[in-house]
Amino acid sequence: MKVDCIIDGKTLSLSLNSNKPLSMILMENIHNESIKSCCNGRFCGKCVVLLEGKAVLSCLVPAFEIRGKNIVTLESFQTTKDYQDIEKAYSIVKASPCPSCFASRTLLIQSLVSMNEKDENDIKKEMELMDCNCMDTEDIIKVVQVAIEIRRRRRARRS
């Protein structure tokens, strides 16, 4: 089947098996470096991408579901001011994810920040997508809350 979508700002037309998972599309067809090849559908949380701005496990998204959708991986997200907000929050909180989960955890945090999610229970629930224990739960909550405040201030200055 033919799938038209936008991945990291590039409009693509791909010929794919309709059930091929997005993680495999990103690794095999797009040669994306931030999607960890160790995932292979094991629900480890290391293949998170933003699909229409929402964090999803790309190993669970079949090709037919990405038709006409916008997908963002860490590669393109790192070029944004929103990424800089999260990077500053990591620095302020003095906590950062390990290299193995950095891409996925950062995109999960972006999803929460973009929704202005401040509820600690909701943040914890979203972070359950990750099986890596490199960051303390309280530090993750602080990073999200600090990033929300940094983004709010940055946008207020622009107005």
Side-chain angles (χ1 to χ4, degrees):
M1 84 179 234
K2 192 154 192 113
V3 175
D4 295 325
C5 61
I6 301 169
I7 298 177
D8 289 339
K10 297 176 186 138
T11 302
L12 302 171
S13 186
L14 305 166
S15 292
L16 305 164
N17 175 314
S18 65
N19 289 323
K20 186 174 188 176
L22 177 56
S23 59
M24 297 306 288
I25 294 167
L26 292 169
M27 286 186 280
E28 295 173 359
N29 300 78
I30 310 300
H31 307 292
N32 186 282
E33 295 297 320
S34 68
I35 302 299
K36 302 297 182 198
S37 60
C38 61
C39 170
N40 294 323
R42 291 189 295 228
F43 317 115
C44 61
K46 293 180 180 152
C47 66
V48 171
V49 297
L50 298 176
L51 179 66
E52 297 293 313
K54 174 90 172 101
V56 297
L57 292 173
S58 62
C59 65
L60 299 179
V61 179
F64 68 86
E65 286 190 18
I66 67 170
R67 182 176 276 144
K69 302 285 172 69
N70 185 25
I71 298 128
V72 174
T73 67
L74 186 69
E75 276 83 358
S76 67
F77 181 65
Q78 283 180 310
T79 65
T80 67
K81 290 200 181 290
D82 289 348
Y83 173 78
Q84 292 172 6
D85 297 340
I86 295 169
E87 206 172 44
K88 285 179 193 171
Y90 284 146
S91 178
I92 290 169
V93 176
K94 294 181 177 36
S96 185
C98 68
S100 178
C101 76
F102 182 84
S104 292
R105 190 156 329 257
T106 299
L107 291 174
L108 276 167
I109 291 170
Q110 166 56 21
S111 181
L112 291 163
V113 171
S114 69
M115 294 184 301
N116 202 34
E117 184 59 68
K118 295 177 184 174
D119 183 76
E120 291 184 14
N121 290 325
D122 290 341
I123 294 169
K124 287 177 188 176
K125 183 173 174 28
E126 189 73 11
M127 286 299 150
E128 287 175 0
L129 286 174
M130 299 287 311
D131 72 352
C132 186
N133 295 318
C134 67
M135 283 184 75
D136 180 67
T137 303
E138 295 307 311
D139 286 341
I140 294 168
I141 291 167
K142 287 179 196 169
V143 168
V144 171
Q145 293 170 338
V146 168
I148 287 171
E149 183 59 25
I150 290 168
R151 188 158 307 162
R152 186 193 63 73
R153 278 189 257 139
R154 177 173 55 85
R155 290 185 174 163
R157 283 192 305 257
R158 275 195 327 209
S159 301

